[in-house]
Amino acid sequence: MSAVGRALDILRRGGVVAIPTETVYGLAADADNPAAVARVFAIKGRPRDHPLIVHVASAGSLDAWGRTTPAALTLAEACWPGPLTMILQRTPRVIDAVTGGRDTVGLRVPAHPLTAELLAEFGGGLAAPSANRFGAVSPTTAAHVVADLDDDVDFVLDGGPCAVGVESTIVDCTVDPAQILRSGAITAEQVTALLGSVSDTAGPARAPGMLASHYAPRATVLLASTPGEADAMAAGLDHAAVIDGTDDLTRYARHLYAWLRAADDSGAQVIVAVLPPPAGLGHALRDRLTKAATPPGPPTVRPAP
């Protein structure tokens, strides 16, 4: 049996499989199966009111899960398959376990050949947050998943290192103008060019990755504005590591989580990370680094008003 065939068999029997995407590895379960979805929350230690993204095979599946809008159709045509998630009003098919009881659902068509094959064969949706413990550094290789979850996951579908390396952009298409809730490789500038206008994020957390503290390594993360500032900060600290990929933001995003993990593995107690400029992919990197540097609070998400 092929690796995709094995993953398919496990998912159809209500199991949980780590799947590769172009962003990060996801912890996937049948989005129609409440018991399987509950296992995802239990494995991650994720609050049950923190919604999951449903991954589907193509934009043709959109109407089964969400109520489309002109903005959603425009984004689907331009960005799928790809690192973009849309928030839509849910259809009756979507179970409460996936949405945390909300009346909306996040939908995405991932751009990874193995997972595309898996979704096409599966025929339904896969509810899949990142395949790691809640709040920790996201996994961008199969080895990261095994290090984090070990035997708690039924199977890891190894698709190699993730090409993008940071989670998908999230756009709320239930409001007009649409609202970017999380930055990613599909940039705010690109979304604005497609839709004409977008609004800024505001209000309580209502989508994955909106908590103030997230994506955190074991080491304390400090932020610097320039490489020189980072080196100066690290020079005055014991067991400090410096992370700087500002010369190539695509590379920075692809390797950010691996670099954070490597710093932890090296025994670093402090990681000094250089913030990129606030433009393009820099928005996503600044978001992840800022949240990694924020001390954690109670892991709860308030319902949207």
Side-chain angles (χ1 to χ4, degrees):
M1 181 182 293
S2 69
V4 169
R6 182 177 175 190
L8 185 64
D9 179 64
I10 291 169
L11 289 165
R12 285 176 171 165
R13 290 188 287 107
V16 175
V17 173
I19 59 172
T21 78
E22 75 279 25
T23 58
V24 301
Y25 274 72
L27 187 63
D30 182 353
D32 290 318
N33 184 329
V37 172
R39 274 197 65 204
V40 170
F41 281 95
I43 291 168
K44 280 187 66 72
R46 183 185 182 99
R48 294 297 296 269
D49 62 355
H50 202 61
L52 305 182
I53 293 170
V54 177
H55 296 65
V56 296
S58 71
S61 305
L62 201 56
D63 287 339
W65 300 90
R67 304 197 183 280
T68 57
T69 66
L73 293 174
T74 297
L75 291 173
E77 182 177 1
C79 302
W80 280 358
L84 183 128
T85 295
M86 292 186 289
I87 304 296
L88 298 175
Q89 294 294 324
R90 61 191 266 197
T91 66
R93 174 176 183 166
V94 182
I95 61 176
D96 284 345
V98 167
T99 70
R102 289 167 174 74
D103 61 0
T104 57
V105 63
L107 297 168
R108 181 162 106 81
V109 178
H112 189 287
L114 284 183
T115 294
E117 179 184 350
L118 177 66
L119 284 164
E121 291 290 330
F122 185 67
L126 296 178
S130 56
N132 60 309
R133 305 300 180 189
F134 182 72
V137 179
S138 297
T140 53
T141 69
H144 294 164
V145 177
V146 173
D148 286 353
L149 303 181
D150 198 18
D151 293 335
D152 287 344
V153 62
D154 298 323
F155 181 62
V156 178
L157 182 61
D158 189 347
C162 298
V164 172
V166 293
E167 296 80 2
S168 60
T169 304
I170 299 179
V171 180
D172 186 350
C173 293
T174 68
V175 295
D176 187 15
Q179 186 178 57
I180 297 177
L181 303 184
R182 182 174 72 187
S183 299
I186 304 294
T187 66
E189 292 88 346
Q190 290 172 309
V191 174
T192 301
L194 288 166
L195 300 183
S197 64
V198 295
S199 61
D200 295 329
T201 303
R206 60 190 188 277
M210 289 186 71
L211 297 180
S213 178
H214 216 60
Y215 318 111
R218 296 187 300 274
T220 298
V221 177
L222 303 177
L223 304 178
S225 298
T226 66
E229 181 183 8
D231 289 338
M233 292 169 65
L237 300 168
D238 293 329
H239 307 293
V242 173
I243 290 178
D244 174 24
T246 51
D247 59 333
D248 182 341
L249 297 193
T250 299
R251 178 174 176 267
Y252 202 176
R254 185 180 300 127
H255 296 291
L256 172 62
Y257 292 146
W259 289 344
L260 291 174
R261 288 170 177 272
D264 270 345
D265 292 343
S266 74
Q269 296 178 9
V270 177
I271 300 170
V272 183
V274 182
L275 288 170
L281 188 53
H283 287 300
L285 286 160
R286 291 174 70 92
D287 170 74
R288 305 314 191 271
L289 288 169
T290 299
K291 288 175 178 175
T294 301
T300 58
V301 183
R302 294 173 291 165

